[in-house]
Each structure stands twice: as C-alpha cells, then as structure tokens.
DNA sequence: CCGTATCCTGACTGATACTG
DNA sequence: CAGTATCAGTCAGGATACGG
C-alpha cells in the first residue's frame, strides 16, 4: 500500500506522528489508528519504548490511565518523518501510475 | 539492526543512495552492498524499477552489461533519504545505549 | 557478467475473544 | 481502560548453488 515506510515496524512512523502534539492515552491513539489492532499497536509502542523513542507512564488512579509521549530522541525523529510524509503526499499520483502499468 | 529504514524493502534506501552519483552496473552495486545476496539485491532493484524509482538498461554487447540509474522520481527521494541517514548517524550512540539497557 | 532456482526460517501482521 | 491470549497466515529476507 504505502510506497515506503519509516520505522522498524509498519506503524512506528504513524504512531510517532500521532504523539507529536503531546502525550496521548492508549485509547486516544486507537482513534487515528483505528485500522491497527490493539495487539499490534501495543507491540509497536513497546518497541518504541524499548528503543527510547517513547515514554510510557502509568497512573495509579481509580480509573486506569496510561499515557505515551515522545522522548527527546523520539521528537528528533519528527523532522525526517515529516520529510518522508511530505514526499509521499507530493508524489502520490505518480506512485499510483507506476503501479497500474 | 538499523533502528528504522526507508523503503518497502530492507535495502531500498541504501540502493538508492548507491545510485545517487549516476548509473551503476549490477556488479558495481554489489561492492558497497556486499552483505546483500544477489537474489535479494535483484528483488530490490526489480521493485524499485516497477515503482518507477529506477531505470534498468540492458546493453546488447559481446560482454553482457546492465545498468541501473535513478529516474527523476527516484532522485526526488534523495532528500528524505538523506534526512533519515543524517538522523541515524547523529543518534547512533543513543540507539545503542537504549538497546543495551 | 547478471542474474535464477530452491529451500528455509522467523519476523511481522492480523482477527477475535478475553482479563485485571 | 488498557491491554493479553490465542491461533494463524503471509511474506520478506537469506544461504547456497546453478544457468544463459
């Protein structure tokens, strides 16, 4: 589908972009990433956490709450990621043409 | 190994960078990409050709010769790719740290 | 020189249902 | 709410050897 992607796993780039405006809860991430099953989303977040791109915070409250936010390292990735996303939107039509022929 | 990559396949980004200075023969690509088996390199090149990033030219000569070069579309990818490569070299140490802990 | 053919492995992705 | 458990399926990636 996508001509290319950023990230060790398929969704890492999108997840990071979803976090660029600040911390998000798991359920908040599921909205823009509705096509991603909870298992896969969790896997992606765990990998991003392990590699130091994302910080996971668990709050001890009556209603359970967990947030994810970008670390400084994760935030430094936004530049390259945006470069790729912009390229994709600029060249989307050409990509479709190449696939059809 | 690499924290993330550009390209539908693992080597696409590197292949494109190897072509940034002009056409290269298959055997020339195998030098910088020595760790890539010929089958996988061929696969990558075929995909890049199909998607319009690379032009493959076969010369009818006594000694067989095939060259690959970037199309204009392929060349337009160099910007985003360089952004990712630069990021990687700048943050390489941090990535290793995260993996070890 | 420029690839294919074959075989193999495991990483990645996924749907669905269930739990603390 | 924030995940895990389970059960699979696909497919990219890789080693090695051979072919036009």
């Amino acid at each position: 589908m996508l001509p290319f992607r950023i990230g060790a796993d398929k969704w890492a780039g999108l997840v990071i972009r979803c976090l660029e405006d600040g911390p998000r809860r798991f359920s908040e991430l599921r909205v823009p990433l509705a096509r991603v099953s909870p298992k896969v989303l969790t896997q992606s977040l765990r990998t991003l956490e392990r590699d130091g791109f994302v910080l996971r915070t668990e709050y001890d409250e009556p209603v359970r709450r967990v947030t994810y936010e970008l670390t400084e390292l994760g935030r430094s990735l936004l530049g390259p990621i945006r470069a790729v996303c912009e390229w994709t939107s600029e060249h989307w039509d050409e990509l479709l043409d190449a696939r059809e022929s």
Side-chain angles (χ1 to χ4, degrees), chain A:
Chain A
M1 166 70 168
L2 281 173
F4 58 92
R5 67 197 190 195
I6 280 200
D9 65 82
K10 189 174 177 179
W11 303 105
L14 282 175
V15 170
I16 289 176
R17 290 217 72 176
C18 290
L19 292 173
E20 66 183 342
D21 292 330
R24 290 287 181 272
R25 305 177 61 164
F26 188 79
S27 51
E28 290 174 319
L29 290 173
R30 295 217 61 200
V31 177
L33 300 167
R35 286 177 307 177
V36 187
S37 78
K39 192 199 80 169
V40 172
L41 180 56
T42 300
Q43 278 180 357
S44 192
L45 287 165
R46 290 282 186 275
T47 304
L48 289 169
E49 187 190 8
R50 183 202 64 186
D51 291 346
F53 298 118
V54 160
L55 179 68
R56 179 179 181 277
T57 309
E58 197 162 341
Y59 297 90
D60 198 10
E61 300 176 352
V63 174
R64 189 151 181 235
R65 190 159 69 94
V66 176
T67 65
Y68 296 89
E69 63 189 306
L70 293 180
T71 62
E72 199 177 333
L73 181 63
R75 196 158 287 283
S76 71
L77 253 177
L78 284 170
I81 287 178
R82 287 205 195 93
V84 174
C85 290
E86 281 167 22
W87 183 94
T88 303
S89 60
E90 284 168 14
H91 294 271
W92 189 248
D93 296 340
E94 298 170 65
L95 292 168
L96 294 178
D97 292 347
R99 290 278 169 140
E100 285 167 8
S101 63

